[in-house]
């Protein structure tokens, strides 16, 4: 995702001298070409995230379009007051780019994991939140962020994600994408763990549970229509995210279901339960340790489907 983001940012900077790349003393090597070709459009603020965000709000007030890049928890928590007061409250045209979504920075530990960022950013007025699932989607989300006049939070993985889309598609902010059709059960997912959801769905199909997979690349504004349609048509929904269950995608989906009277649907959230990511290892290791791996998705889906069938039988 990181390279896809940089490719899109390079193209934007090439066409608009007001686009500015801003970093917090990380990503220096990957920005080498950008810095060389656009020296007047690159700034490194060092390990000073709060100051960096406030300065970018000032740049935006002068007509610049800053893309602020650093590790997700450092951006969304260390500089939260500045994001709230200087960017969102003033509705400034600042693009906040957090890398390391979920626990993709696996071996670096919970200090570098982005597992609370959606919760703290969702509550802020005026902001759009993108959480792409693949490199292609990261590139499209970057271009979409540029087109929006106002605050945007772009939540990226690293540079190891594989592509989930077999062909080009239209990226529309606020509109989810059905990656796979199915009428027995729905998995609603955000971020790179969408690949695990797709692979789990293929396994479920072989068990006779034909599973729909919906990718929510825009957390805010949220596509309520696609969620409610899935509730009506499949009767069972699992939300899946590399994030704490409180305040993330699952909470957002639950809000939609309850506020629209879809409280009879079987619903289950998958993510971190009142904890930081446990254990050490690579990214796949952490998904297994924290019960969001493919086998865990299949296990929960089977339980959900059985519960749905039992619920229907009790009505007769």
């Amino acid at each position: 995702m990181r390279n896809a983001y940089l490719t899109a940012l390079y193209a934007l900077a090439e066409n608009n001298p007001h686009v500015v790349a801003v970093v917090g003393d990380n990503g220096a090597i990957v920005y080498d070409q950008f810095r060389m070709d656009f020296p007047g459009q690159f700034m490194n603020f060092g390990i000073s995230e709060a100051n960096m965000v406030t300065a970018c709000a000032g740049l935006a007030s002068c007509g610049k379009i800053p893309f602020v890049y650093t590790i997700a928890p450092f951006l969304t928590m260390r500089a939260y007051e500045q994001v709230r007061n200087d960017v969102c409250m003033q509705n400034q045209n600042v693009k906040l780019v957090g890398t390391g979504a979920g626990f993709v920075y696996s071996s670096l530990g919970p200090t570098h994991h982005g597992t609370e960022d959606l919760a703290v950013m969702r509550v802020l007025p005026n902001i759009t939140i993108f959480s792409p699932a693949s490199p292609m989607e990261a590139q499209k989300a970057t271009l979409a962020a540029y087109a929006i006049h106002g605050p945007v939070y772009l939540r990226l993985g690293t540079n190891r994600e594989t592509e989930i889309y077999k062909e080009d598609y239209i990226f529309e902010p606020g509109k989810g994408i059905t990656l796979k059709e199915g009428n027995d059960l729905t998995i609603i997912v955000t971020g790179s763990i969408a690949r695990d959801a797709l692979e789990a769905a293929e396994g479920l199909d072989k068990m006779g549970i034909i599973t729909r997979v919906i990718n929510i690349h825009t957390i805010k504004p949220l596509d309520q229509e696609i969620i409610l349609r899935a509730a009506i048509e499949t009767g069972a929904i699992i939300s899946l995210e590399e994030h704490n269950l409180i305040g993330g995608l699952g909470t957002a989906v639950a809000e939609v279901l309850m506020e629209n009277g879809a409280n009879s649907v079987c619903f289950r959230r998958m993510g971190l339960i009142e904890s930081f990511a446990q254990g050490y290892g690579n990214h796949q290791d952490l998904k297994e340790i924290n019960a969001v791996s493919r086998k865990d998705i299949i296990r929960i889906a089977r339980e959900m489907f059985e519960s749905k069938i039992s619920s229907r039988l009790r009505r007769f």
Side-chain angles (χ1 to χ4, degrees):
M1 286 192 197
R2 184 184 62 199
N3 282 355
Y5 158 74
L6 288 168
T7 297
L9 182 64
Y10 187 99
L12 292 171
E14 191 172 32
N15 290 303
N16 187 345
H18 294 297
V19 171
V20 182
V22 182
V23 303
D25 206 28
N26 64 333
I29 296 174
V30 298
Y31 274 93
D32 276 350
Q33 191 64 50
F34 188 103
R35 186 170 61 247
M36 184 183 303
D37 294 343
F38 311 112
Q41 293 169 252
F42 177 85
M43 299 181 186
N44 185 348
F45 273 78
I47 304 174
S48 180
E49 291 84 356
N51 183 45
M52 175 173 67
V53 170
T54 291
C56 286
L59 287 170
S61 71
C62 297
K64 300 296 183 182
I65 307 172
F67 280 74
V68 191
Y69 173 98
T70 192
I71 296 173
F74 303 167
L75 180 62
T76 60
M77 285 175 270
R78 187 176 292 165
Y80 189 72
E81 181 183 4
Q82 287 70 31
V83 170
R84 178 185 185 270
N85 295 346
D86 298 334
V87 175
C88 292
M89 193 179 294
Q90 311 305 324
N91 201 21
Q92 293 290 0
N93 192 26
V94 177
K95 317 308 173 185
L96 304 161
V97 184
T99 61
F103 27 89
V104 296
Y105 283 146
S106 52
S107 60
L108 296 180
T111 58
H112 286 59
H113 296 164
T115 54
E116 303 83 29
D117 56 328
L118 293 179
V120 299
M121 298 300 277
R122 274 186 68 221
V123 73
L124 294 174
N126 297 325
I127 197 165
T128 298
I129 301 175
F130 292 138
S131 176
S134 75
M136 182 190 294
E137 197 156 80
Q139 188 169 10
K140 289 178 179 291
T142 303
L143 299 177
Y146 170 79
I148 294 169
H149 189 82
V152 177
Y153 176 49
L154 176 57
R155 185 181 195 248
L156 300 177
T158 58
N159 204 36
R160 307 183 189 95
E161 296 83 8
T162 55
E163 190 54 61
I164 62 171
Y165 292 99
K166 296 179 181 178
E167 56 188 29
D168 198 6
Y169 70 103
I170 296 174
F171 180 96
E172 186 176 354
K175 293 295 181 182
I177 296 177
T178 300
L179 299 176
K180 180 184 173 300
E181 295 288 355
N183 289 317
D184 289 334
L185 179 140
T186 299
I187 300 172
I188 299 179
V189 64
T190 193
S192 65
I193 201 170
R195 172 164 292 282
D196 300 80
L198 284 169
E199 292 175 355
E202 291 173 2
L204 289 164
D205 283 358
K206 294 175 182 176
M207 300 174 188
I209 305 173
I210 311 305
T211 304
R212 183 178 305 184
V213 179
I214 295 173
N215 172 33
I216 298 295
H217 56 58
T218 307
I219 299 295
K220 187 181 179 184
L222 190 66
D223 188 345
Q224 297 193 32
E225 181 183 349
I226 200 170
I227 294 169
L228 293 171
R229 191 185 318 125
I232 293 168
E233 294 176 355
T234 71
I237 292 176
I238 296 172
S239 66
L240 173 66
E241 59 194 312
E242 289 182 63
H243 190 276
N244 194 293
L245 289 185
I246 300 173
L249 172 68
T251 296
V253 171
E255 290 167 357
V256 171
L257 295 175
M258 294 301 101
E259 290 175 359
N260 288 277
N263 53 338
S264 62
V265 66
C266 295
F267 178 59
R268 179 85 173 266
R269 295 177 297 164
M270 291 188 68
L272 297 177
I273 304 173
E274 192 60 28
S275 71
F276 298 100
Q278 303 296 307
Y280 283 88
N282 61 33
H283 190 199
Q284 186 57 42
D285 290 335
L286 261 68
K287 283 188 276 191
E288 293 175 0
I289 293 169
N290 291 279
V292 290
S293 68
R294 288 182 290 276
K295 67 178 181 181
D296 294 300
I297 300 167
I298 290 173
R299 174 177 56 81
I300 296 299
R302 291 182 68 180
E303 292 175 3
M304 288 284 294
F305 183 69
E306 290 169 4
S307 175
K308 168 186 159 181
I309 298 301
S310 297
S311 178
R312 286 181 175 177
L313 289 175
R314 285 196 296 270
R315 295 175 189 172
F316 296 97

